[in-house]
Amino acid sequence: MPSFKLDGKPIPFEPGESIIQAAYKQGIEIPHYCWHPGLSAPANCRMCLVEIAPAPGQRPLMLDILAWDAHAGAYKPVQKPKLLPACQMGAVDGMEVKAESSEHVHAARKTVQESLLLNHPVDCPICDQAGECKLQDYWLLYQKTPKRMRDEPVHKPKGVVFGPTIVYDAERCVMCTRCIRFMEEVAKDPVLDMRERGNLNEITVAPGRVLDGKYTFMTEHVCPVGALTTVDFRFKARVWFLRTAPSVCQGCATGCNAHLDYDPRNNRVYRYRPRDNEQVNHYWMCDDGMVSYRRAHEERTLEVLVSGRLGSHAAALEIVKKLFEGVARESVAVVFSAQHSLEDNWALRELGAVLLGANRTYVSGLGLGYEDKILIHKDKNPNTQGVKELAPEAGSFSDLLADVTAGRVTHVVALGGATPTSEPKDLATLQTLRALVTLASHEGPLAEAAHVVFPVTSWAEASGTYVNAKGIRQQADAAIAPLGSARPAWEVLAQVAKALGFEPNWPKLREIRAKLSGSSAVTAAGPPRARTDASSPAGAP
Ligand code: SF4
Ligand code: SF4
Ligand code: FES
């Protein structure tokens, strides 16, 4: 593999890669604003300038400049190496690049910073980006000087509503054009553009349009500063109070990798940010996915319900014991959930098929919905594929309804409240069951019709594995502590097994993981990368 040297360190690269790209793949960040690994490179911010040593026999590229001579009290003509943008310079085998080790590069970074901050408002105390802003980070690293300009800065529009989800502040904008390029190149909706020149530049929405569609949150995500903010997160939290957990979006079968940011002080989830994974979602998430973090707190089942009334775990387990006493195994069924993790479904399979001897299995979950060719999958469940792998023979939800109607199934243990449809007649059919015990994190017909509901943890409260539509196993870690009386479903299933007189063989999560085929439930993340997204992981040093 060809390689070049960056500050003396060998950097391998694929032909066609730029210097910044090859360094990024090795986990080295060359400072930048306009470059993003998922977008084209306009080289307009000049923050990534590097010094490239001339190849043997080549003349060095030099620039004539005027340097201040303090001794003489005058400017004098000197020469300095001409620096080049690492985001546009293709890597060449054997080339020598200086970045951190070059005084000229440091001086250039400082000057670019000073220029960008010339008219920048002192908004940090009220800016949502504060704490994860590239202007702040690079000021600390490369500038550290107070403002020298004494004139009134140029004022530009603030709080411009670009659409239902995004607000723009032109004074904070560094004109990197990432937002324009994202909408054009990834969302395929070139609704943003730049107008005016020089320090009057601003980003604008196409006449007659608003910034809307399925991927507007990503404009805020790629913005390296606080110029674009989402209506959803604006003024909700200071990022230095947030912690983050690696997660997997539950919005559809694509299974986009995400950072789930939460505040441990009030045990609340505040937002999602995409987590880079070239095999799954590259650097992006859709809008529906970005707001689906709210499901950690919305429409939850948080307390034990017995016949619709609040009950205790112990009382509910007694009722389950009575409901299942002396029932013929032919009438017992289990319903897996494409909304729940592999571990939860595995424990249900053990309880139903192995311990209870139920030979009727079904799968439920949400129905199909919108899809596109960018990210969004029509299957709105995160683990349809995982359930298919665990229980390939499981019938559909309509098969369950047919068997209940025909009286072939009378006793059911179900995971998850969700069903593909929520017709009143389906609910009425479920209500004819002699026993329906549902373990649910969220409301839904299977919870509504249940004789006993056990509240179980959502993906935000317990570690779980999900298999996406491509068959990639991904692990979502717990962020917040369990809400209400919720416990992980696999744990509640072990209690149910004990109440029914069985000895469950899954006392711990690690035992389930060891038993799951190919036991290693891994996050399909790529190799370590430098951080290139707009924001640092919340809670990171
Ligand atoms: S709004 Fe943000 S992403 Fe768009 S050009 Fe300005 S700084 Fe860049
Ligand atoms: S495409 Fe699907 S998995 Fe990805 S962010 Fe959107 S809803 Fe979530
Ligand atoms: S990152 Fe290279 S010029 Fe902006």
Side-chain angles (χ1 to χ4, degrees), residues 64 88 123-124 134 140 253 292 442 460 467 482 521:
D64 293 321
Q88 276 226 326
D123 273 357
C124 299
K134 290 290 187 190
L140 268 170
S292 67
H442 289 85
V467 186

Side-chain angles (χ1 to χ4, degrees), residues 346 350 354-355 494 497 502-508 511-512 515:
W346 180 90
E350 283 297 294
V354 180
L355 302 180
F502 303 111
E503 194 44 53
N505 62 349
W506 63 95
K508 295 250 162 58
E511 272 117 26
I512 299 181
K515 284 181 172 116

Side-chain angles (χ1 to χ4, degrees), residues 222-267:
V222 296
C223 184
V225 298
L228 294 177
T229 48
T230 61
V231 173
D232 186 64
F233 185 68
R234 214 169 139 78
F235 307 133
K236 295 270 168 48
R238 306 283 16 194
V239 298
W240 48 86
F241 290 128
L242 300 183
R243 297 292 175 269
T244 194
S247 193
V248 174
C249 176
Q250 307 285 297
C252 79
T254 302
C256 293
N257 290 203
H259 298 285
L260 189 58
D261 293 344
Y262 63 99
D263 191 333
R265 298 172 307 165
N266 59 5
N267 205 35

Side-chain angles (χ1 to χ4, degrees), residues 366-425:
L366 294 174
L368 301 181
Y370 173 87
E371 68 173 334
D372 66 21
K373 290 191 164 46
I374 302 171
L375 278 182
I376 304 172
H377 201 284
K378 64 179 176 202
D379 177 1
K380 300 302 166 194
N381 300 290
N383 205 18
T384 302
Q385 193 58 31
V387 175
K388 248 185 217 154
E389 286 173 15
L390 272 183
E393 72 297 335
S396 65
F397 182 67
S398 354
D399 294 338
L400 169 71
L401 292 177
D403 286 345
V404 173
T405 308
R408 288 185 286 270
V409 169
T410 57
H411 289 67
V412 170
V413 182
L415 189 55
T419 53
T421 55
S422 40
E423 305 276 331
K425 67 176 172 33

Side-chain angles (χ1 to χ4, degrees), residues 194-231:
M194 184 191 276
R195 67 172 195 177
E196 298 292 353
R197 295 259 168 186
N199 58 18
L200 294 179
N201 259 174
E202 66 180 271
I203 301 299
T204 182
V205 184
R209 278 289 311 271
V210 291
L211 175 58
D212 58 6
K214 297 283 185 190
Y215 294 92
T216 61
F217 273 58
M218 285 303 96
T219 58
E220 182 272 346
H221 177 66
V222 296
C223 184
V225 298
L228 294 177
T229 48
T230 61
V231 173

